[in-house]
Amino acid sequence: MSEKKIILTGDRPTGRLHLGHYVGSLKRRVELQNSGEYDEINILIADDQALTDNVENPGKIRSNIVNVVLDYLSVGIDPSKTTICVQSALPALHALTFYYMNLVTTARLSRNPTVKAEIQMRGFADEGLPAGFFCYPVSQAADITAFDATVVPVGEDQLPMLEQCREIVEKFNRIYGDTLVLPKAMIPENEMQRRLPGVDGKAKMSKSLGNCIYLSDSASTIKKQVNGKMFTDPQHLKIEDPGHLEGNVVFTYLTALCKDEHFERYLPDYKNLDEMKEHYCRGGLGDGTCKKLLINVLEETLEPIRKERAKWEADIDSVYDILAEGTAKAREKTNATLERVRAAMRIDYFKDRSIIKEWDKILKETDK
Ligand code: TRP
């Protein structure tokens, strides 16, 4: 088995990626990609997994594949260093899922806290739970092991998937011999990366709540979201009133995105965010000034991404080629893992004709 350092991570293509994705995972992926520490980096667009709760809406998944690839490319994912591929075009993943299903019990699957929460959220508890959705952690284990991933950078909500994957790996290796690589989760370092709230202060950015800032949003949309929707401190009515930082979305975003040099450029009254926070808490600093700074910082962060996206949008043929080539490469890799798995299970009947000898023996024994 390989001693290589291999990354696999993935996203469900259910919408454009937003600032929460950027702060929480995309930025990190680009850093990992450029660190030169990894032998292989793979990003899987998990369209099959997305179908497990979008069965009536395959068009949504189909159309968002291109959006997600464009988002990757525009933040700096470099296809010469990172393989971007599409799950449904990797049949080895389906086969692995089918074998792994026998290594988990339905009781174990029922205990997965993320899946449990999603079942409630999606109304599956009342409507009936699709078996495919219930089993998606098994399919995710297939994704991870098919790439021999050692490291899986994910959000905290994905820890139960990793735990389940590790159990499958251990069980498989115990029964069939050392075959699969045991992966480790890599979760965001700090609270800020873990969860950027929506502009309305709700825990998460979500399309249905309309509280996102998308990486592809125009400057004027961003301005509207910040000025029109973003929460500050409801007790901070007059400029002189002391302000509070807790639950203050403007400051949450500034904390996630602001660098000292932004102050030189946009608000030289302060050296850094700490100084500004102090003034805000003391009283005398208006929300308008804070929002204006944030709009500048957001624009500085997102403008290069928007420009890069426009470049790729104008060269959509290349985007197609990148995805097709990445997927072809991933198909080879995942097929090789499937072969290794089938060999370990001794169900590789048609690899060569050696099984004929076994058959001969069996037939002779029954003849006797
Ligand atoms: N479940 C992941 C999410 O919703 C997406 C995903 C699918 C994934 N396959 C993966 C993540 C493999 C990491 C590795 O975010």
Side-chain angles (χ1 to χ4, degrees):
M1 256 190 305
S2 72
E3 298 298 314
K4 286 185 170 173
K5 289 170 86 174
I6 298 175
I7 287 183
L8 173 75
T9 184
D11 298 291
R12 298 182 191 184
T14 52
R16 293 175 176 232
L17 301 180
H18 51 59
L19 194 66
H21 293 116
Y22 181 70
V23 171
S25 68
L26 296 172
K27 210 169 150 201
R28 187 85 184 283
R29 288 183 197 172
V30 175
E31 286 162 12
L32 291 169
Q33 167 193 277
N34 296 336
S35 73
E37 274 183 40
Y38 293 87
D39 298 294
E40 237 182 65
I41 304 185
N42 305 283
I43 304 184
L44 180 73
I45 301 181
D47 61 330
D48 284 334
Q49 188 178 110
L51 274 176
T52 63
D53 61 345
N54 283 285
V55 70
E56 309 212 359
N57 213 351
K60 177 171 107 184
I61 313 300
R62 182 182 166 91
S63 58
N64 277 308
I65 289 175
V66 66
N67 272 323
V68 171
V69 185
L70 284 169
D71 287 330
Y72 292 157
L73 295 172
S74 60
V75 298
I77 296 292
D78 173 351
S80 73
K81 297 181 183 154
T82 296
T83 304
I84 307 173
C85 57
V86 177
Q87 187 180 35
S88 59
L90 306 174
L93 302 183
H94 307 140
L96 290 173
T97 303
F98 202 62
Y99 301 137
Y100 295 172
M101 293 241 238
N102 303 319
L103 301 172
V104 283
T105 62
T106 55
R108 175 65 183 86
L109 284 169
S110 318
R111 284 198 299 272
N112 184 310
T114 299
V115 176
K116 255 187 181 163
E118 286 172 333
I119 288 171
Q120 289 306 322
M121 237 159 57
R122 310 240 187 318
F124 289 153
D126 310 317
E127 275 169 31
L129 173 60
F133 184 82
F134 183 59
C135 294
Y136 90 73
V138 182
S139 128
Q140 195 159 324
D143 303 340
I144 294 168
T145 54
F147 285 87
D148 295 325
T150 51
V151 178
V152 186
V154 280
E156 255 180 322
D157 64 327
Q158 298 295 303
L159 286 176
M161 312 306 158
L162 263 293
E163 208 178 297
Q164 198 134 37
C165 177
R166 289 170 61 90
E167 286 172 28
I168 289 172
V169 168
E170 278 163 357
K171 192 155 182 190
F172 189 100
N173 288 348
R174 179 150 35 80
I175 300 174
Y176 303 111
D178 222 6
T179 311
L180 300 175
V181 177
L182 194 64
K184 269 203 194 86
M186 178 192 265
I187 59 168
E189 276 163 351
N190 58 52
E191 182 61 31
M192 212 45 76
Q193 295 170 333
R194 262 173 232 160
R195 184 179 321 194
L196 193 71
V199 292
D200 57 358
K202 296 242 168 68
K204 244 180 152 172
M205 284 197 186
S206 128
K207 194 170 158 187
S208 51
L209 296 173
N211 63 358
C212 300
I213 290 178
Y214 291 101
L215 298 179
S216 46
D217 275 348
S218 67
S220 67
T221 304
I222 291 172
K223 210 166 165 182
K224 248 190 260 159
Q225 287 286 67
V226 175
N227 284 334
K229 287 198 188 150
M230 195 171 278
F231 273 48
T232 51
D233 170 14
Q235 293 164 43
H236 189 230
L237 298 174
K238 285 181 272 154
I239 291 185
E240 316 82 77
D241 290 339
H244 299 86
L245 301 176
E246 202 164 312
N248 189 322
V249 186
V250 172
F251 277 94
T252 308
Y253 277 47
L254 284 173
T255 308
L257 297 166
C258 227
K259 298 187 202 120
D260 291 357
E261 71 228 42
H262 289 138
F263 285 89
E264 267 167 59
R265 277 199 282 284
Y266 306 118
L267 196 57
D269 294 355
Y270 308 98
K271 263 214 302 287
N272 53 39
L273 189 59
D274 286 338
E275 263 189 36
M276 182 184 174
K277 280 180 176 169
E278 213 226 339
H279 191 189
Y280 188 80
C281 294
R282 213 180 333 125
L285 173 57
D287 288 328
T289 307
C290 304
K291 285 192 169 184
K292 207 164 146 203
L293 171 68
L294 178 60
I295 289 168
N296 280 317
V297 171
L298 283 171
E299 193 47 23
E300 192 176 306
T301 311
L302 295 177
E303 194 211 32
I305 296 175
R306 200 184 298 131
K307 276 202 177 137
E308 193 63 19
R309 197 179 214 272
K311 260 202 309 208
W312 287 107
E313 279 179 13
D315 185 14
I316 206 74
D317 273 20
S318 301
V319 176
Y320 178 92
D321 291 338
I322 286 167
L323 197 55
E325 280 163 30
T327 303
K329 194 169 160 202
R331 197 176 298 127
E332 269 181 42
K333 167 119 201 198
T334 52
N335 281 346
T337 307
L338 177 60
E339 268 187 43
R340 206 168 76 226
V341 160
R342 287 200 171 126
M345 294 173 78
R346 304 211 58 213
I347 56 173
D348 53 344
Y349 308 122
F350 302 109
K351 201 164 151 237
D352 54 48
R353 303 179 74 86
S354 63
I355 196 171
I356 294 175
K357 276 189 218 127
E358 283 175 48
W359 287 349
D360 274 340
K361 214 171 118 203
I362 291 161
L363 295 176
K364 269 181 209 129
E365 273 165 13
T366 32
D367 274 352
K368 271 185 228 158

